């Protein structure tokens, strides 16, 4: 039986994203980089809420979104577990989300007046830094 994984998440009060979205994004990243693996149990709603000092309803909302998107699965009476890998989004939706993320990134970075290669190099480096964890 899988042990409950402690979730070391950072919640930023100055972040424009709602706290539930920050939780969703952090858990997705931990799964995508294999820091959380299929079968790992997530902390209870109450446990994570106490750890993060947030309202349990906020954690429940984040967990519901992760479940709806297929990142985690609920096992009746046992809790939430990381779901086995599968393509969660259609190719068209994946492309749409990539385009949207690129646009957000460019809108944040363009005003900093970097040349394209100055932006590509650190982006490529950060992408590769995450990739080994995912393939390990």
């Amino acid at each position: 039986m899988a042990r409950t994984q402690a979730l070391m998440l950072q919640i930023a009060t100055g972040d424009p994203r709602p706290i539930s979205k920050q939780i969703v994004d952090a858990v997705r990243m931990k799964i995508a980089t294999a820091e959380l693996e299929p079968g790992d149990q997530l902390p209870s709603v109450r446990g994570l809420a106490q750890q993060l000092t947030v309202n349990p309803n906020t954690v429940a909302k984040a967990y519901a979104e992760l479940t709806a998107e297929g990142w985690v699965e609920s096992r009746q009476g046992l809790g939430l577990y990381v779901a086995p890998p599968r393509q969660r989004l259609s190719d068209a939706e994946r492309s749409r989300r990539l385009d949207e993320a690129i646009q957000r990134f460019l809108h944040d970075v363009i005003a900093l007046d970097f040349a394209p290669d100055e932006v590509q190099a650190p982006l490529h480096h950060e992408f590769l830094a995450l990739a080994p964890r995912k393939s390990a």
Side-chain angles (χ1 to χ4, degrees):
M1 181 173 244
R3 291 183 33 222
T4 302
Q5 282 292 107
L7 284 181
M8 296 301 150
L9 305 179
Q10 296 289 334
I11 300 302
T13 54
D15 194 314
R17 297 173 299 160
I19 292 172
S20 63
K21 180 68 172 154
Q22 291 181 53
I23 294 169
V24 168
D25 291 347
V27 172
R28 275 193 206 132
M29 181 61 81
K30 288 183 179 294
I31 294 170
T33 60
E35 198 172 323
L36 285 173
E37 297 180 351
D40 286 346
Q41 185 176 15
L42 297 175
S44 69
V45 168
R46 185 172 292 140
L48 187 58
Q50 287 175 339
Q51 176 190 327
L52 300 175
T53 60
V54 299
N55 189 308
N57 291 335
T58 302
V59 176
K61 180 179 177 180
Y63 278 0
E65 184 174 337
L66 289 163
T67 302
E69 292 180 354
W71 292 96
V72 299
E73 59 189 11
S74 178
R75 297 182 187 166
Q76 192 64 35
L78 298 175
L80 286 175
Y81 293 80
V82 176
R86 63 178 178 84
Q87 185 168 333
R88 293 172 175 84
L89 302 170
S90 69
D91 289 341
E93 179 63 11
R94 290 174 68 229
S95 291
R96 186 193 70 74
R97 288 189 184 193
L98 175 61
D99 290 343
E100 186 178 280
I102 289 169
Q103 289 302 313
R104 277 194 315 270
F105 175 75
L106 288 175
H107 284 279
D108 288 345
V109 171
I110 200 78
L112 300 175
D113 199 29
F114 284 106
D117 59 328
E118 291 177 297
V119 174
Q120 290 173 351
L123 180 61
H124 184 73
H125 174 75
E126 288 298 319
F127 193 86
L128 292 178
L130 292 173
R133 286 193 258 164
K134 186 173 182 175
S135 62

